[in-house]
Amino acid sequence: MSPGSVTEKLHFFAAEYTPAMKVGEGGGVEEEQEDIEVLEYPFEQAIEMVKEGEIIDGKTIMLLQYAQLNRLLDPVPRQQHILIAGPYRSGTGDDPNLIRRNIDFMNETALRVYEAGHLPVLGEWYALPLIEKAGSRKIGDEIFNRIFHPSAVRLLKHCDAVLRIGGSSQGADEMVREALGMGKIVYRDLNEIPQVRF
């Protein structure tokens, strides 16, 4: 590490551009001894150059990874596997009718995600049958707690994104934190999800 880079602050900018916006071939301020060369590579080639050690500048690597994680250069929206994260028990007092209302809301949202061209999933679709088969006798017993949230975390590893819906829920908020930690997309509204046409 160089002492200057330990304390410096850098601001990165990402923006769309077109070839028509180009105003020069490079250059720089001659009295500052700047020699700027503009290089443009296809995105996949640039990522491969990072892997091969041809691009080693930290700033460039961070910007390329930012573009990759946020799918800024995807040519068209692609189908995503999206985990619907919303309240299951929160605010219900474990009333079965209120829990069913929460599940219905998440299922309705899943249908809308499906109709947008994606593959939705609820952690409850996996967890609840497993919990029943394992012999759980009531919500919140040892078997329920051992399977319910851990199964959603396992499932999340196989998803591209999370859609956080509904009101307060520690479990849904945990899914958002886990997703962000894995570098996955987090949507907060159905309208943020791109439409995919087949």
Side-chain angles (χ1 to χ4, degrees), residues 79-95:
Q79 186 182 66
Q80 298 173 34
H81 193 205
I82 300 176
L83 176 67
I84 311 299
Y88 173 69
R89 295 171 65 189
S90 300
T92 67
D94 289 342
D95 179 322

Side-chain angles (χ1 to χ4, degrees), residues 29-40:
V29 180
E30 192 172 325
E31 52 269 20
E32 296 287 339
Q33 290 82 46
E34 289 181 334
D35 183 14
I36 299 172
E37 181 182 4
V38 177
L39 302 172
E40 189 169 357

Side-chain angles (χ1 to χ4, degrees), residues 86-107 124 128 139 167-168:
Y88 173 69
R89 295 171 65 189
S90 300
T92 67
D94 289 342
D95 179 322
N97 293 321
L98 296 178
I99 289 174
R100 172 50 48 199
R101 187 183 65 188
N102 284 344
I103 289 286
D104 287 344
F105 174 61
M106 288 190 282
N107 283 335
E124 289 79 2
L128 295 177
I139 290 175
S168 174

Side-chain angles (χ1 to χ4, degrees), residues 52-169:
E52 297 297 322
E54 295 176 63
I55 295 177
I56 59 172
D57 173 61
K59 299 178 295 297
T60 304
I61 293 170
M62 281 189 279
L63 283 166
L64 288 169
Q65 288 178 336
Y66 175 84
Q68 188 176 41
L69 287 171
N70 291 281
R71 297 180 170 91
L72 297 183
L73 298 174
D74 280 3
V76 293
R78 65 178 184 83
Q79 186 182 66
Q80 298 173 34
H81 193 205
I82 300 176
L83 176 67
I84 311 299
Y88 173 69
R89 295 171 65 189
S90 300
T92 67
D94 289 342
D95 179 322
N97 293 321
L98 296 178
I99 289 174
R100 172 50 48 199
R101 187 183 65 188
N102 284 344
I103 289 286
D104 287 344
F105 174 61
M106 288 190 282
N107 283 335
E108 288 170 15
T109 303
L111 177 59
R112 293 182 63 191
V113 169
Y114 180 83
E115 290 171 342
H118 303 282
L119 185 62
V121 66
L122 272 63
E124 289 79 2
W125 293 351
Y126 281 80
L128 295 177
L130 295 173
I131 287 166
E132 181 181 354
K133 185 56 77 176
S136 174
R137 298 197 180 278
K138 64 175 185 172
I139 290 175
D141 67 11
E142 185 276 329
I143 293 172
F144 183 96
N145 292 336
R146 179 169 47 88
I147 295 175
F148 192 75
H149 282 297
S151 67
V153 173
R154 286 189 197 182
L155 175 60
L156 181 57
K157 293 177 183 175
H158 302 279
C159 294
D160 302 300
V162 169
L163 171 59
R164 174 65 168 94
I165 60 170
S168 174
S169 168

Side-chain angles (χ1 to χ4, degrees), residues 2-22:
S2 67
S5 68
V6 173
T7 58
E8 72 180 346
K9 292 184 180 179
L10 300 171
H11 300 273
F12 299 131
F13 297 90
E16 293 184 34
Y17 70 94
T18 66
M21 300 165 86
K22 189 173 182 180

